[in-house]
Amino acid sequence: MKTRDKHLFVAILTSVCFTAVNGQGLKMNQTQVIGSHNSYKIRIEQPLMDMILTDRPEAIGLAYTHIPITDQLDLGLRSLEIDVLFDPEGGLFSNPKELEMLTTAGVNAQPYDAEPMREPGFKVLHVPDIDFRSHCATFKGCLSDVLTWSKAHNNHLPIIITINPKSDGLDRPGFAKVIPFDKQALDALDREIWEVFERRELITPKLVRGKQATLRDAVADKGWPNLSDARDKILFVFDAGKELTDVYLQNDEAYARPMFANTESDNPHAAFFIMNDPVKQEKEIAGLVKQGFMVRTRSDADTREARLGDKTRFEAAMRSGAQVITTDYYLKSLSPDKDFEIVFGDGRYQRCNPVLTKSSTCDLP
């Protein structure tokens, strides 16, 4: 090896080791974090859960809960998922049918605060009338909780929030009729984000694109922002089907939308992907990560892995390099038998990306 090449090799090795030790010099996509799935969700009360399971045993997948969103952030989780339902007039989800059913059955339901549900704007819940309890009933309420926490915790890793728009509910007599999303609803959703956050507080498609022709070109050529610049900021991902995603991106040549969209890999807007099966998609995820894209995947689903004590998905997710791994079980106390937990080997929820760095155990406060 020539002397100059030796010096270059040593410089590269030194840089890699320095990065692995203290996280300096990383791009934001060179991290891997654990986040929560349906982050707002509060457990269905047991009498109601028993009624649901009698009718639909497969509904056991609804039997999970979360601690408040700010408590999740306190733990070290840096990704959240929020389901939103359009309620422009307010009141659409203020009288859950299952509360009426419990009363009819002679069961005293837990207190339910319907007041936030009467306000116009997007609501946050899992399944209308069935799985309706939330730590933050309104979208702006959830976002305000995140913003307040962020302002009180300087230098935190960027918080990635996946937004899942819901256009349907249960088609049963007396149940709420969910309003499908269209361009008007999507525009209103963006407005609620802008009403809570200032542009400087977000990592947006326009920011990442910079002067490149497309967002995809920017991610492939210059990459994501430096982690030092991304700290204390929020990144939103729009997770919907292709048809609604196309509506969201239609004519958005100026990249004015605040959310990154989950698209096909050859789409000009491609940057962030939702790929929820790391066992089947491990190689595909790793390939996208190596190209510079960001990916969210899941370590468990429908309570299945927690009930079986199976961490196969989590192990594949870690190996894949997906930057975000979501779970319902970041604490053992949340699992069915209080013994299943999704956390990195050092007991933390954030680390260097094993596919993009030489170390998976660097200091990422």
Side-chain angles (χ1 to χ4, degrees):
M1 184 181 290
K2 294 180 179 180
T3 301
R4 188 179 70 175
D5 292 339
K6 286 182 179 179
H7 289 318
L8 178 60
F9 176 76
V10 171
I12 292 173
L13 181 61
T14 301
S15 175
V16 168
C17 291
F18 181 69
T19 296
V21 170
N22 60 21
Q24 297 297 314
L26 291 177
K27 295 259 186 188
M28 65 172 291
N29 62 308
Q30 291 179 287
T31 63
Q32 187 175 61
V33 303
I34 292 172
S36 57
H37 158 255
N38 291 341
S39 311
Y40 56 87
K41 187 180 176 317
I42 297 177
R43 185 187 310 277
I44 300 173
E45 54 201 290
Q46 197 57 50
L48 178 53
M49 192 75 235
D50 291 341
M51 292 173 60
I52 295 171
L53 290 174
T54 299
D55 182 41
R56 298 180 61 186
E58 67 274 15
I60 189 65
L62 300 177
Y64 62 93
T65 192
H66 289 296
I67 62 177
I69 282 176
T70 52
D71 290 349
Q72 296 176 39
L73 295 173
D74 283 340
L75 277 179
L77 273 63
R78 290 296 176 265
S79 179
L80 305 169
E81 181 182 41
I82 300 176
D83 292 334
V84 290
L85 294 95
F86 193 35
D87 187 16
E89 303 299 325
L92 188 57
F93 309 105
S94 59
N95 297 295
K97 182 67 174 178
E98 291 299 330
L99 289 181
E100 178 186 324
M101 294 174 64
L102 283 176
T103 301
T104 302
V107 177
N108 292 324
Q110 296 176 11
Y112 176 69
D113 183 9
E115 192 59 35
M117 289 295 188
R118 297 190 180 100
E119 302 174 6
F122 291 91
K123 302 305 188 300
V124 176
L125 64 154
H126 192 217
V127 182
D129 294 294
I130 295 289
D131 194 2
F132 49 83
R133 296 186 185 273
S134 173
H135 284 296
C136 44
T138 68
F139 184 47
K140 289 179 71 173
C142 291
L143 299 187
S144 296
D145 287 347
V146 173
L147 178 61
T148 298
W149 186 93
S150 176
K151 287 182 176 296
H153 296 80
N154 293 332
N155 207 42
H156 65 76
L157 290 186
I159 300 170
I160 297 170
I161 305 179
T162 302
I163 304 301
N164 189 346
K166 293 204 165 189
S167 290
D168 52 35
L170 296 175
D171 186 15
R172 296 185 179 181
F175 281 49
K177 302 298 182 184
V178 176
I179 301 174
F181 272 75
D182 57 12
K183 185 178 183 302
Q184 177 186 359
L186 295 173
D187 291 345
L189 185 63
D190 279 359
R191 284 197 297 272
E192 289 206 357
I193 293 175
W194 292 126
E195 287 169 6
V196 174
F197 292 99
E198 298 180 18
R199 291 184 182 274
R200 61 182 176 82
E201 294 166 334
L202 300 185
I203 299 167
T204 63
K206 185 174 183 179
L207 174 69
V208 174
R209 177 197 177 193
K211 296 181 179 180
Q212 296 283 336
T214 69
L215 178 59
R216 191 187 191 286
D217 289 343
V219 169
D221 294 344
K222 68 182 181 66
W224 293 83
N226 292 331
L227 184 59
S228 57
D229 296 327
R231 287 183 181 271
D232 297 333
K233 294 187 178 182
I234 316 298
L235 182 151
F236 285 96
V237 182
F238 183 68
D239 180 17
K242 184 180 186 307
E243 183 177 348
L244 192 57
T245 299
D246 288 344
V247 174
Y248 188 72
L249 294 176
Q250 188 176 9
N251 301 323
D252 189 29
E253 296 179 1
Y255 292 82
R257 297 282 195 185
M259 294 187 277
F260 291 83
N262 176 34
T263 68
E264 303 85 356
S265 60
D266 59 351
N267 190 294
H269 292 267
F272 202 113
F273 299 98
I274 308 295
M275 303 177 70
N276 286 327
D277 191 338
V279 174
K280 293 181 178 179
Q281 299 174 301
E282 180 179 345
K283 290 184 178 180
E284 187 179 357
I285 291 172
L288 289 169
V289 168
K290 290 175 182 177
Q291 292 178 60
F293 297 107
M294 293 185 71
V295 179
R296 188 209 82 171
T297 193
R298 293 179 65 178
S299 63
D300 48 89
D302 302 322
T303 74
R304 182 173 51 253
E305 282 75 17
R307 286 184 279 112
L308 297 174
D310 183 1
K311 291 192 175 181
T312 302
R313 282 179 65 144
F314 182 42
E315 292 163 357
M318 288 191 289
R319 290 193 304 266
S320 75
Q323 285 84 359
V324 176
I325 304 171
T326 65
T327 180
D328 293 321
Y329 304 105
Y330 42 86
L331 292 173
K332 286 184 179 180
S333 59
L334 299 176
S335 66
D337 295 322
K338 316 300 181 188
D339 61 353
F340 185 83
E341 182 181 47
I342 296 299
V343 64
F344 293 130
D346 58 356
R348 300 180 67 178
Y349 302 95
Q350 44 199 258
R351 67 177 189 170
C352 285
N353 194 298
V355 169
L356 299 178
T357 66
K358 293 297 183 182
S359 171
S360 62
T361 56
C362 72
D363 185 17
L364 291 176

